[in-house]
Amino acid sequence: MLGKKLVTAQKRGETRALCLGLGMVACSMMMYFFIGITIVPFYTKSIWTTETVCKVLKANIEDKTLCPDSQGSEDEDIFSYPCLQVWVNLTASGQEVMLYQTEDTLERNPKCSYIPDKLEDSKEVKARIETIASNFKKYHTFPCYYDPGGTQSNVILSRLYPPKGLLFAFLWPTLLFTGGCLIIVLVKISQYVSVLSAWQ
């Protein structure tokens, strides 16, 4: 009687472990799919792939400019801020080009190198932009990214999704998938050993 209870408990434990492993594999597949339709297209779309050294030529704060929060937005989504324009000397080609914070900055407003957060206070925005401008004037050289194909003559300070960020995004679903497969394999090995022991 006790042996039957132990076998039943063992089968229940194996079933739960198997469901856990299958659930982890299913979750990892969903995460892979989500990353594949969100992050990967932005990574492959970026043409600023080669890193080089940029030297600041000038960093000026122009008059306030209007920037829509998104394309096709209404008037209430438009906000104004001081326009920071940073011009650098591209070491790779020796050209004088404009620097942008990320790929998204160029798409949202090609006139300015930096776009602040809409929710920030106007005084804080002005102080932050002045701080950024002074930092560019203080640190003359820094790494930046340019388009080796020559499609875009401008450069960006940092990529939205660099290779390390993409690898980090795939790290967690990979660990989840590996753990789920390991649980399934261990359950199958346990079932095989149990059947082999009963047969003997």
Side-chain angles (χ1 to χ4, degrees):
M1 190 69 178
L2 182 60
K4 290 183 178 181
K5 290 183 178 180
L6 290 174
V7 172
T8 303
Q10 183 180 5
K11 288 183 178 180
R12 288 179 180 175
E14 290 176 350
T15 302
R16 291 174 181 175
L18 191 61
C19 290
L20 175 62
L22 292 174
M24 292 173 65
V25 171
C27 289
S28 65
M29 291 293 103
M30 292 177 62
M31 292 174 67
Y32 278 128
F33 176 75
F34 180 76
I35 294 172
I37 63 175
T38 55
I39 298 179
V40 173
F42 285 105
Y43 175 79
T44 56
K45 183 182 177 182
S46 177
I47 57 178
W48 294 270
T49 56
T50 305
E51 184 176 351
T52 185
V53 177
C54 288
K55 183 178 180 180
V56 176
L57 297 175
K58 55 184 176 180
N60 302 325
I61 299 178
E62 304 294 335
D63 294 334
K64 286 190 175 182
T65 182
L66 296 177
C67 178
D69 188 44
S70 59
Q71 293 183 354
S73 59
E74 300 295 335
D75 292 339
E76 60 267 17
D77 292 330
I78 297 178
F79 65 102
S80 61
Y81 56 91
C83 182
L84 172 64
Q85 294 181 348
V86 180
W87 293 88
V88 298
N89 184 13
L90 187 61
T91 305
S93 61
Q95 295 178 333
E96 180 180 339
V97 296
M98 189 169 178
L99 175 74
Y100 295 94
Q101 183 183 10
T102 61
E103 303 95 326
D104 185 58
T105 307
L106 176 61
E107 293 182 1
R108 292 176 61 188
N109 189 357
K111 295 181 180 179
C112 304
S113 299
Y114 171 75
I115 298 178
D117 190 357
K118 180 185 174 184
L119 300 178
E120 294 179 359
D121 183 75
S122 58
K123 293 182 179 179
E124 294 180 358
V125 168
K126 184 178 179 180
R128 174 174 292 189
I129 291 177
E130 289 176 352
T131 302
I132 293 174
S134 62
N135 286 336
F136 275 119
K137 294 176 181 178
K138 182 178 179 181
Y139 304 100
H140 296 284
T141 57
F142 50 87
C144 59
Y145 295 90
Y146 74 100
D147 175 22
T151 306
Q152 291 285 347
S153 59
N154 42 56
V155 295
I156 61 174
L157 181 61
S158 60
R159 300 179 63 183
L160 284 174
Y161 301 103
K164 291 182 179 179
L166 190 66
L167 291 175
F168 184 76
F170 278 106
L171 175 63
W172 296 111
T174 301
L175 293 176
L176 193 63
F177 178 80
T178 304
C181 291
L182 185 61
I183 291 176
I184 293 173
V185 170
L186 291 176
V187 169
K188 291 299 181 181
I189 292 175
S190 176
Q191 291 176 347
Y192 175 76
V193 171
S194 298
V195 171
L196 186 62
S197 300
W199 182 76
Q200 290 179 349

